[in-house]
Amino acid sequence: MEKLTFYALSAPEKLDRIGAYLSERLIRDVGRHRYGYVCIAMEALDQLLMACHCQSINLFVESFLKMVAKLLESEKPNLQILGTNSFVKFANIEEDTPSYHRSYDFFVSRFSEMCHSGHEDLEIKTKIRMSGIKGLQGVVRKTVNDELQANIWDPQHMDKIVPSLLFNLQHVEEAESRSPSPLQAPEKEKENPAELAERCLRELLGRAAFGNIKNAIKPVLVHLDNHSLWEPKVFAIRCFKIIMYSIQPQHSHLVIQQLLSHLDANSRSAATVRAGIVEVLSEAAVIAATGSVGPTVLEMFNTLLRQLRLSIDYALTGSYDGAISLGTKIIKEHEERMFQEAVIKTIGSFASTLPTYQRSEVILFIMSKVPLPSLHHPMEMGRTGENRNRLTQIMLLKSLLQVSTGFQCNNMMSALPSNFLDRLLSTSLMEDAEIRLFVLEILISFIDRHGNRHKFSTISTLSDISVLKLKVDKCSRQDTIFMKKHSQQLYRHIYLSCKEETNIQKHYEALYGLLALISIELANEEVVVDLIRLVLAVQDVAQVNEENLPVYNRCALYALGASYLNLISQLTTVPAFCQHIREVIESRKKEAPYMLPEDVFVERPRLSQNLDGVVIEFLFRQSKISEVLGGSGYNADRLCLPYIPQLTDEDRLSKRKSIGETISLQVEVESRNSPEKEEVSRVPAEEITYETLKKAIGNVAVEEQERERRRQVVEKFQKAPFEEIAAHCGARASLLQSKLNQIFEITIRPPPSPSGTITAAYGQPQSHSIPVYEMKFPDLCVY
């Protein structure tokens, strides 16, 4: 061998003939089953290949690859392993001269086939599979960085390489379960095809350029589809974790886009399959967010929300086609519900990784998708339409709650912009109790910036709130501006939410948490006064009971007021205020425990059947509170005024009130909010007559006519021909110009000359103006 190597190095032009001779001998020995000579020939080829790097090595390599291919074609496992080992040695050699005509198609196919070996002997099967993986790794190393070689990233190659690696990854549990003993575990780990396949897959993806990611990911998705690996989803998640951690960070968004496209393509697949894809998307998105997600943020949320809406439709109709017929796949509602929960979880987990500005955009985007009963967002009609609207609202609000959880923003104006807050609060007026609860929880998530929410999960009347260890900061200027702009809107919706008879304990706990967090996060002296007025108005609702609320609701409102006033009195640290609140609470404990949270908000509430004769000692008195707080610098005049909610356009959109009720409310609010309150109180209240109603309805008709006229103008400018619009605008412009010319002529024309007119050229008279200082004024003008 030493002499042969010396000869080859001394006469490199003979190398191709040496290779051809050895190749001929090996093929002959394989045919005659003389395997000892086969091993000698391969050993000689390997050593010559490692020693010689001359320019004429290409012809020798062709002979070498022909011999390796002959060994791989053999049915003998030992020959296959021998050929693979030789190919791996060749793959690690860096050649000095490029090759323009070499092809590795056969090796990719054969090594992929070896990766799927099903030999009866487990040990031999493992060796063959590991040889196949090593061979694929060699092909990748040999071709991936050489532009002159065959493009290994072509789909025809990737469709063989990637599934072969995944197939061995898939059987990792089987390989681990067959390991004989813990003492041999390290040795078995080295012989484990799964670990070798994972290492090879990581190397392959790590070498992938921007344009090759799609070809590398698509076979993964197809493999998971073909082998139904989305439903257990453990293996699918593991695969994509390997992918996301192996590729370059700036390519992460390409993987996310592939998964989103695959989810859309499987929109009619079983709910368990779609849920698996969404779970994988969740894991991948969290990893991608640490790198670069790029422009796929809103695209991802848009796709998920679209899938959510489709799932709701599937659950309502019971089929993927909208109508049940022969051969239609029946949908299981509980599976669709699991899929919807998976989508919502994914939305929340991905949003939690986004920066604040992107999270705000996502929040606005989700809110814009919520169907609302307003003029600009028509609802679907009919029983099915109402169910679809309700389910869509619930799912989108759940998603919004997931996104808003943990949202930290120092400026409430940017966290809750007007357009978002208006849409969110309008949903709190809906009749559905579940929707109203979601709205309250979303508001709490936004307002709670110091993690105090869980401290108010239980409604109580603690004698010392210092045990709660509340984190309280001074109200910032931005928060003060926010409350000046939106406080009355918030108070109004809290007040109306308290009056709902479908409220349960969770609603009152959320209302208490919202009131408490506003007091801690956003309160100044004016806000504190308004909140106290609001809670006293809620107490009046329970006492007067114009809404005919059930006994539980009335007791709950009394208990809610006691809990909040107990909290705010200790936050304001006004001794007289605290004393009054404690006196009322103690009186209730002795004689009316059904008006305190400890007896109301329990599993079995202890209620009173008669709440009409509540004595004044059990009530918080507005006059007393205004007196004690007024002495401490609070606005006593404002405290004396009872709280009355402002009337807005939402009442016209609400289905609960008739026109007559709305008008009577409006008259009452205007009369009670009038600055001349004393004089108005002496005048009898305006009587609602037929003429009043007719006038109110007429005003609505005028508004409708004006709206119709504006719509026609907009439609004309959108659909009319350009010539017609130009002629119309030109006529108006010429009319305006003529009017302007008349005005200018009147104001700029010089005064008439005392000497009359002179004749200018062409015989036309021309006014002759003289300087003002030469004019002769009458004597009456002279002082």
Side-chain angles (χ1 to χ4, degrees), residues 453-472:
R453 169 68 182 98
H454 65 281
K455 299 171 184 177
F456 301 112
S457 57
T458 303
I459 306 179
S460 61
T461 53
L462 291 173
S463 57
D464 184 10
I465 63 169
S466 61
V467 297
L468 297 177
K469 297 180 181 179
L470 300 174
K471 298 178 183 178
V472 183

Side-chain angles (χ1 to χ4, degrees), residues 482-749:
F482 172 80
M483 289 305 290
K484 282 185 177 180
K485 186 174 182 181
H486 298 293
S487 60
Q488 295 303 319
Q489 193 178 8
L490 283 170
Y491 303 153
R492 176 176 180 277
H493 285 81
I494 293 173
Y495 179 78
L496 294 177
S497 296
C498 290
K499 295 169 68 174
E500 295 290 342
E501 63 180 40
T502 55
N503 286 344
I504 58 175
Q505 181 177 340
K506 288 184 178 180
H507 290 85
Y508 295 111
E509 290 174 350
L511 285 166
Y512 174 66
L514 182 58
L515 287 168
L517 289 171
I518 292 175
S519 305
I520 292 174
E521 298 281 353
L522 306 172
N524 51 26
E525 289 187 3
E526 183 180 347
V527 173
V528 169
V529 168
D530 286 341
L531 287 172
I532 293 172
R533 291 172 58 220
L534 172 62
V535 173
L536 292 174
V538 171
Q539 178 182 259
D540 292 342
V541 169
Q543 183 183 6
V544 179
N545 197 23
E546 292 180 351
E547 306 289 333
N548 294 322
L549 295 175
V551 175
Y552 173 79
N553 295 57
R554 296 176 67 186
C555 292
L557 291 180
Y558 281 127
L560 175 65
S563 303
Y564 176 73
L565 289 174
N566 175 65
L567 173 69
I568 197 67
S569 65
Q570 297 186 55
L571 288 175
T572 54
T573 63
V574 178
F577 184 29
C578 295
Q579 182 181 356
H580 171 64
I581 301 302
R582 292 309 306 175
E583 286 175 356
V584 176
I585 291 175
E586 292 300 327
S587 301
R588 291 186 180 183
K589 281 183 179 179
K590 293 178 182 178
E591 301 182 30
Y594 51 83
M595 299 173 70
L596 291 176
E598 286 78 10
D599 275 32
V600 177
F601 300 119
V602 290
E603 187 175 353
R604 294 183 178 178
R606 294 179 287 275
L607 308 176
S608 171
Q609 297 302 321
N610 185 16
L611 290 175
D612 294 333
V614 177
V615 296
I616 195 169
E617 285 78 10
F618 300 156
L619 300 177
F620 302 100
R621 300 191 298 279
Q622 189 158 5
S623 58
K624 180 68 174 177
I625 293 175
S626 60
E627 178 185 343
V628 295
L629 287 180
S632 299
Y634 289 87
N635 190 342
D637 295 335
R638 189 174 181 85
L639 271 169
C640 292
L641 295 175
Y643 172 76
I644 301 169
Q646 292 182 350
L647 196 71
T648 64
D649 292 339
E650 290 169 353
D651 292 316
R652 291 191 294 109
L653 302 176
S654 176
K655 298 178 181 179
R656 308 179 201 177
K657 298 183 178 67
S658 65
I659 295 178
E661 290 174 329
T662 303
I663 295 167
S664 63
L665 265 176
Q666 197 166 6
V667 172
E668 183 183 357
V669 169
E670 289 176 355
S671 63
R672 296 181 70 175
N673 284 343
S674 174
E676 297 86 3
K677 185 179 178 184
E678 296 180 0
E679 296 181 6
V680 172
S681 61
R682 301 191 192 107
V683 179
E686 182 179 349
E687 185 179 357
I688 304 301
T689 63
Y690 171 76
E691 293 297 330
T692 310
L693 291 174
K694 183 178 179 181
K695 183 179 178 181
I697 295 173
N699 292 337
V700 174
V702 171
E703 291 180 4
E704 291 293 334
Q705 291 176 1
E706 180 66 19
R707 193 178 295 110
E708 179 64 21
R709 188 186 66 81
R710 290 180 180 176
R711 188 190 64 78
Q712 290 177 356
V713 171
V714 172
E715 185 176 357
K716 178 180 178 181
F717 275 89
Q718 287 178 343
K719 298 181 179 180
F722 175 75
E723 292 78 8
E724 182 180 340
I725 297 174
H728 176 70
C729 295
R732 294 185 61 183
S734 60
L735 179 61
L736 175 64
Q737 187 62 41
S738 64
K739 294 293 183 184
L740 288 174
N741 290 337
Q742 292 178 12
I743 295 171
F744 292 151
E745 185 179 356
I746 293 171
T747 55
I748 302 175
R749 187 174 59 189

Side-chain angles (χ1 to χ4, degrees), residues 132-149:
I133 297 169
K134 290 177 182 177
L136 290 177
Q137 192 174 25
V139 173
V140 171
R141 288 179 179 174
K142 197 66 180 172
T143 60
V144 73
N145 290 325
D146 192 348
E147 295 180 358
L148 297 174
Q149 301 289 356

Side-chain angles (χ1 to χ4, degrees), residues 236-279:
I237 290 175
R238 180 166 178 250
C239 285
F240 274 89
K241 280 187 175 181
I242 292 173
I243 291 170
M244 297 304 293
Y245 283 119
S246 300
I247 62 174
Q248 299 177 32
Q250 61 268 29
H251 299 161
S252 299
H253 68 280
L254 296 176
V255 181
I256 302 297
Q257 285 177 341
Q258 286 287 96
L259 280 168
L260 291 174
S261 301
H262 196 67
L263 180 59
D264 280 337
N266 284 271
S267 58
R268 292 178 180 269
S269 300
T272 51
V273 173
R274 286 178 281 133
I277 298 174
V278 168
E279 289 280 352

Side-chain angles (χ1 to χ4, degrees), residues 760-772:
Y762 306 104
Q764 295 181 356
Q766 181 180 2
S767 298
H768 176 69
S769 61
I770 59 175
V772 176

